[in-house]
Every structure is written in structure tokens, then in C-alpha cells.
Amino acid sequence: MSAATHDEQWFERIFAAHGTAIVRFLHRRGAYAEAEDLAAETFTVMWRKKDEVPDGAELPWLYKTAGLTLANWFRKKKSLPMGDSQETLDSLDSNDPATLVVKDHGMQAALAELSERDRDIILAVAWEGLTGQSLADYLGISRNAADAALSRTRKRLEEAIAKNT
């Protein structure tokens, strides 16, 4: 399908196929009550940029756009820590559903040691099921770079698990 056929039927088909996944993606990342509104905003962006959405990679494109939408929402919602605060943007949110399902304290500590990007990669693979080219599309990098990033992230997670168990 070419960008020229990204019409209302295309949009409806993509929305029907991926709407629930995008709401769940946003909810798991802490949007909770706002997940549906943020998903609607994500699909609004998709409609506005429909000619830029790559055929066959709509879901990774939506995940990336939803992540950016969520980041903007958090930025508006929260003030950044200043001064002597020990909390950083890479701090693990103890209310994050992805964290709450991990009951093992060693695993929680291991995840907390990862950078935000590493946690994002792990969650994209574990929660969203992205692999290969879909992971690359989501991260906005080449397939080889995505494979390498996933490999490095898994190694860092393994090291952090070994340290914390």
C-alpha cells in the first residue's frame, strides 16, 4: 500500500488493529486514566502525518509516537527536580505497572540500575513483543543498530541481575 492510499479506510483499519495495544502501552507506562486520551492524540498525529507512516511498520511507528506523546504529557504534568534532589529522569517509577509486576526485589533493583533507554528497550521487547525490524523502527535506528542495542541491554540487565540476587 502506498502513502497515496492512506485514506480513511486505511486509518480505520490501523485503528481497529492497534488501538487497544496503544492504550495498553500508555497505561503500562503510567498514563492510567489518561491512556485513552493520549491514544486518541497519538492517532490524531498519525492521521496528520499519514503520508509519513511506513507501510507494514504502522505499529512500531505508533509506539514511537505514543512514547513521544507520553513524554510531552509527563513534561507538562511534572516539574523537573532541581537543586539537591537525588531523583533523576532515569529514576525507576515505583508506581510503573512494569515495575509492580516484578515481585522479586533483586529484579526490581536490576531494572532500577538500567538507564531509561535500556528499560525502554527491554519493555518494548518483553511487553510489546517488538523484535527485529519492528524494534528498529520503534527506536528509529537501523536493524543492525537495534540488534546491537538489544544485545548490550540484555548484557547490562544480566549483570545487574547477578549483582542484585
Side-chain angles (χ1 to χ4, degrees), residues 88-93 99 102 106-123 149-164:
T88 67
L89 293 177
D90 282 343
S91 296
L92 191 60
D93 181 358
T99 304
V102 180
M107 180 60 81
Q108 286 179 346
L111 286 171
E113 286 186 21
L114 296 179
S115 69
E116 184 177 350
R117 177 162 171 87
D118 282 352
R119 281 193 305 273
D120 189 38
I121 290 170
I122 292 295
L123 293 176
L150 178 57
S151 178
R152 287 190 303 270
T153 297
R154 283 181 172 157
K155 180 156 181 50
R156 285 190 286 269
L157 179 61
E158 288 172 6
E159 290 169 356
I161 289 170
K163 178 178 159 186
N164 290 290

Side-chain angles (χ1 to χ4, degrees), residues 3 7 18 23 33 41 50 61 64 71 75 77 94 97-98 101 110-111 113 118 124-125 135 137 143 158 161 163:
D7 56 13
H18 304 304
V23 170
E41 190 174 330
K50 63 186 177 220
W61 190 94
K64 185 173 186 174
R75 203 173 0 267
K77 183 179 175 202
S94 62
V101 300
L111 286 171
E113 286 186 21
D118 282 352
V125 172
L135 180 62
D137 292 339
R143 168 72 189 266
E158 288 172 6
I161 289 170
K163 178 178 159 186

Side-chain angles (χ1 to χ4, degrees), residues 22-144:
I22 297 304
V23 170
R24 288 179 180 160
F25 172 89
L26 292 161
H27 189 268
R28 282 193 296 266
R29 283 163 174 76
Y32 310 119
E34 294 84 1
E36 288 183 5
D37 291 340
L38 292 170
E41 190 174 330
T42 299
F43 278 97
T44 299
V45 171
M46 186 184 87
W47 178 251
R48 277 197 330 262
K49 296 185 175 193
K50 63 186 177 220
D51 293 338
E52 299 173 25
V53 179
D55 292 322
E58 293 89 354
L59 185 59
W61 190 94
L62 283 166
Y63 281 142
K64 185 173 186 174
T65 303
L68 294 171
T69 301
L70 184 64
N72 287 336
W73 177 73
F74 274 124
R75 203 173 0 267
K76 291 175 189 173
K77 183 179 175 202
K78 295 180 179 181
S79 62
L80 294 176
M82 299 291 175
D84 296 331
S85 175
Q86 296 299 313
E87 186 176 359
T88 67
L89 293 177
D90 282 343
S91 296
L92 191 60
D93 181 358
S94 62
N95 293 318
D96 182 349
T99 304
L100 294 174
V101 300
V102 180
K103 303 279 189 230
D104 181 275
H105 293 292
M107 180 60 81
Q108 286 179 346
L111 286 171
E113 286 186 21
L114 296 179
S115 69
E116 184 177 350
R117 177 162 171 87
D118 282 352
R119 281 193 305 273
D120 189 38
I121 290 170
I122 292 295
L123 293 176
V125 172
W127 282 86
E128 313 313 333
L130 298 180
T131 59
Q133 189 59 48
S134 293
L135 180 62
D137 292 339
Y138 169 69
L139 296 172
I141 57 179
S142 72
R143 168 72 189 266
N144 287 342

